[in-house]
Amino acid sequence: MIQGRPASDEDEYLNEWSLNSLKENLTLINDILRQLMTISAAILGVSIFYEKIITNNSFKIAAISTFFVALILSFFGIIPYGSKIITNDPVAFKEQKKSIFKTKYWLAIAACFFLTAGFAIVIVHLIDRF
């Protein structure tokens, strides 16, 4: 027979905190992806329609491409999870949520990378122009 001890108040607090952290992190990463999508769309629009910022076509195509990729990545990040949610196994449910978070996290990192690359292209063009 296996005997255990009741969880201490600190153990219960830490367990509840870890469960809430995962929920809060999913909400936070979704908000970040929405903001990245908004920023990417705005900068993409400015890059396409405002002719005075990027005058060289090669730089313009490169910048527009990177901003568009950032937009697409952030869009894919905010799409709701399309697979069946596991509800009958708490451990599998938690692992599924961790996997969803990890995917959204890497999409946000990639979107940030492409946004930064687009800004770098614009800055290089502006430095080259003057």
Side-chain angles (χ1 to χ4, degrees), residues 64-75:
I64 288 171
S65 299
T66 57
F67 294 139
F68 183 71
V69 170
L71 175 68
I72 295 300
L73 289 169
S74 55
F75 175 75

Side-chain angles (χ1 to χ4, degrees), residues 71-121:
L71 175 68
I72 295 300
L73 289 169
S74 55
F75 175 75
F76 282 139
I78 64 169
I79 292 175
Y81 187 69
S83 189
K84 183 179 178 188
I85 302 292
I86 302 167
T87 57
N88 56 352
D89 183 5
V91 174
F93 178 76
K94 187 175 180 180
E95 289 303 314
Q96 186 180 39
K97 290 298 180 182
K98 283 182 181 179
S99 174
I100 292 168
F101 175 78
K102 186 186 260 187
T103 302
K104 288 178 178 280
Y105 174 80
W106 285 111
L107 285 169
I109 293 293
C112 287
F113 171 79
F114 279 99
L115 271 176
T116 304
F119 282 127
I121 290 167

Side-chain angles (χ1 to χ4, degrees), residues 6 29 33-35 42 49 56 93 97:
I29 198 74
L33 284 162
R34 278 189 204 95
Q35 292 170 358
F49 296 114
N56 183 319
F93 178 76
K97 290 298 180 182

Side-chain angles (χ1 to χ4, degrees), residues 9-33:
D9 289 341
E10 183 179 6
D11 289 340
E12 287 181 16
Y13 171 76
L14 291 174
N15 186 38
E16 186 176 329
W17 185 15
S18 70
L19 294 174
N20 287 334
S21 293
L22 181 58
K23 286 190 274 187
E24 291 170 5
N25 285 343
L26 280 169
T27 302
L28 178 65
I29 198 74
N30 280 327
D31 290 342
I32 290 170
L33 284 162

